[in-house]
Amino acid sequence: MNINLLTITHRKDATMTEKEFDMIKRINKYAEEVLGDIDPQKVQVSRQLEALRPIFEEIAAEEHITLEEMFIKYMDLQSEASYQNEMQLRQTFADQANDPENPMLFR
């Protein structure tokens, strides 16, 4: 399933707190359950976010913040996770490009 939510597998060089990391994992897990196998290119973002509203409300209540603040926090955390994943991918490609035993990359 591809719902345009990132899967964070580890915390190397992460700037998120453990609590934030757990929060984004929790939201992503919920998204996997409620959004199923939707095509994010065909389903409006507003519909996707509406499906996530219950988990946003639940976490907002736990954190004593408004739903709007929760949404902003979610967007910030997703942005940070996206950046971390990009840096990790770049490092992987750099490592492979510098490996003389790797026949997959041409120099």
Side-chain angles (χ1 to χ4, degrees):
M1 176 181 80
N2 180 1
I3 56 173
N4 269 355
L5 297 175
L6 299 170
T7 302
I8 306 167
T9 56
H10 67 291
R11 295 187 38 81
K12 182 179 181 186
D13 297 327
T15 57
M16 278 186 228
T17 65
E18 194 67 35
K19 184 177 184 178
E20 292 169 332
F21 179 73
D22 291 341
M23 182 184 299
I24 201 73
K25 280 180 31 181
R26 182 175 166 193
I27 294 168
N28 286 347
K29 181 180 181 210
Y30 181 84
E32 290 282 331
E33 294 169 5
V34 298
L35 294 175
D37 291 328
I38 69 157
D39 182 346
Q41 302 303 318
K42 295 180 181 176
V43 177
Q44 293 179 335
V45 172
S46 60
R47 186 164 160 246
Q48 294 176 48
L49 291 174
E50 190 61 34
L52 297 177
R53 186 182 185 107
I55 192 69
F56 288 158
E57 290 174 333
E58 185 177 314
I59 295 172
E62 292 169 5
E63 297 295 315
H64 306 289
I65 60 176
T66 66
L67 182 60
E68 292 80 11
E69 291 170 320
M70 181 63 231
F71 175 73
I72 291 168
K73 183 159 196 71
Y74 168 74
M75 296 305 289
D76 287 346
L77 292 173
Q78 284 297 92
S79 178
E80 184 176 331
S82 178
Y83 173 77
Q84 290 174 16
N85 285 345
E86 166 111 12
M87 291 301 103
Q88 189 176 7
L89 183 61
R90 286 178 185 237
Q91 185 59 51
T92 299
F93 284 142
D95 292 346
Q96 289 177 355
N98 293 326
D99 182 1
E101 300 294 320
N102 191 342
M104 300 296 287
L105 299 173
F106 297 99
R107 291 177 193 35

